[in-house]
Amino acid sequence: GQNIDQPTEMTATEGAIVQINCTYQTSGFNGLFWYQQHAGEAPTFLSYNVLDGLEEKGRFSSFLSRSKGYSYLLLKELQMKDSASYLCAAVSNDYKLSFGAGTTVTVRA
Amino acid sequence: GAVVSQHPSWVICKSGTSVKIECRSLDFQATTMFWYRQFPKQSLMLMATSNEGSKATYEQGVEKDKFLINHASLTLSTLTVTSAHPEDSSFYICSARGKIDYEQYFGPGTRLTVT
């Protein structure tokens, strides 16, 4: 089975940095995705990690440690538009995505 | 590239009727499509995996006779909610996977309300 854990909510101020942690336990692992989802909309792709290490893409970075079953998404220079739900999802050998419950990030002025 | 569309974007139907939702990959061939359901303030739950030309594989607890999935071509999968009930009201999202990588491309979702 799959078990994906991430915090429920996080709040930060505009311009700050926030780190969203995700731990996973899966039977068969082929990488980890991070998605952003605004209310009432479908998820949009942010990052994909399959090897250990940090992937940087503009203001967003994602880290993976396969041995620890751990990933994080780092959001820098927060903007109001970054207020959304962030979903961690592990992909298994059969290409299925198992999603965490999502972390709601609220950015305050 | 990698655009997935869904139709309709929202639908309201009466209890007991059936509703069909279409998922199309517009600029690539999708060997596999996935159907998810998302209730308010919850995450996406995989309902079924749809492979072109074969029967869908349903996740545990999902009634295959209630949620009919057809994947007749490499660019189209349909989900039909039969004999809909108010508890079927949800946000239904499809995704499509290309031939090469693990990424899934999500459609914009369909909001179903059963009255």
Side-chain angles (χ1 to χ4, degrees):
Chain A
Q2 322 291 351
N3 190 25
I4 318 292
D5 288 317
Q6 54 182 125
T8 306
E9 294 180 332
M10 301 184 78
T11 301
T13 55
E14 206 171 5
I17 298 173
V18 70
Q19 178 174 314
I20 307 171
N21 296 323
C22 172
T23 58
Y24 63 89
Q25 291 178 311
T26 62
S27 53
F29 177 77
N30 276 294
L32 192 123
F33 286 95
W34 283 96
Y35 289 91
Q36 180 191 62
Q37 187 179 28
H38 286 99
E41 299 180 10
T44 55
F45 170 81
L46 291 179
S47 68
Y48 171 63
N49 294 64
V50 65
L51 300 176
D52 285 357
L54 183 68
E55 296 273 348
E56 296 186 81
K57 191 183 296 184
R59 294 189 298 115
F60 294 177
S61 303
S62 56
F63 172 84
L64 177 68
S65 170
R66 295 178 68 128
S67 61
K68 295 181 180 179
Y70 167 70
S71 173
Y72 68 73
L73 179 69
L74 194 69
L75 314 178
K76 293 181 272 189
E77 300 170 20
L78 279 173
Q79 301 175 9
M80 299 298 287
K81 66 178 182 179
D82 297 330
S83 292
S85 181
Y86 291 85
L87 306 175
C88 168
V91 59
S92 58
N93 290 336
D94 54 3
Y95 310 112
K96 292 181 181 179
L97 286 177
S98 295
F99 283 88
T103 300
T104 300
V105 172
T106 302
V107 181
R108 293 183 174 165
Chain B
V3 178
V4 176
S5 69
Q6 275 184 247
H7 178 80
S9 54
W10 61 270
V11 58
I12 301 173
C13 71
K14 292 186 177 180
S15 188
T17 61
S18 295
V19 173
K20 179 186 284 188
I21 302 170
E22 292 186 349
C23 177
R24 292 181 186 273
S25 57
L26 298 185
D27 50 4
F28 68 104
Q29 293 184 329
T31 54
T32 306
M33 289 183 170
F34 300 90
W35 286 96
Y36 297 85
R37 180 168 52 183
Q38 185 176 34
F39 292 106
K41 297 188 177 182
Q42 295 185 25
S43 193
L44 281 74
M45 295 300 296
L46 180 65
M47 298 175 66
T49 303
S50 172
N51 293 299
E52 186 265 338
S54 63
K55 290 184 178 180
T57 304
Y58 291 81
E59 295 300 302
Q60 193 171 10
V62 177
E63 301 174 57
K64 62 180 181 180
D65 294 330
K66 180 172 180 60
F67 299 98
L68 303 179
I69 291 173
N70 184 278
H71 193 159
S73 76
L74 284 172
T75 59
L76 173 64
S77 176
T78 61
L79 168 68
T80 301
V81 182
T82 63
S83 187
H85 290 282
E87 56 264 32
D88 298 325
S89 298
S90 186
F91 192 46
Y92 291 86
I93 305 174
C94 73
S95 70
R97 189 181 75 87
K99 293 181 179 179
I100 299 175
D101 54 23
Y102 288 105
E103 185 172 355
Q104 294 182 22
Y105 305 96
F106 286 88
T110 297
R111 185 159 302 283
L112 170 65
T113 302
V114 184
T115 60

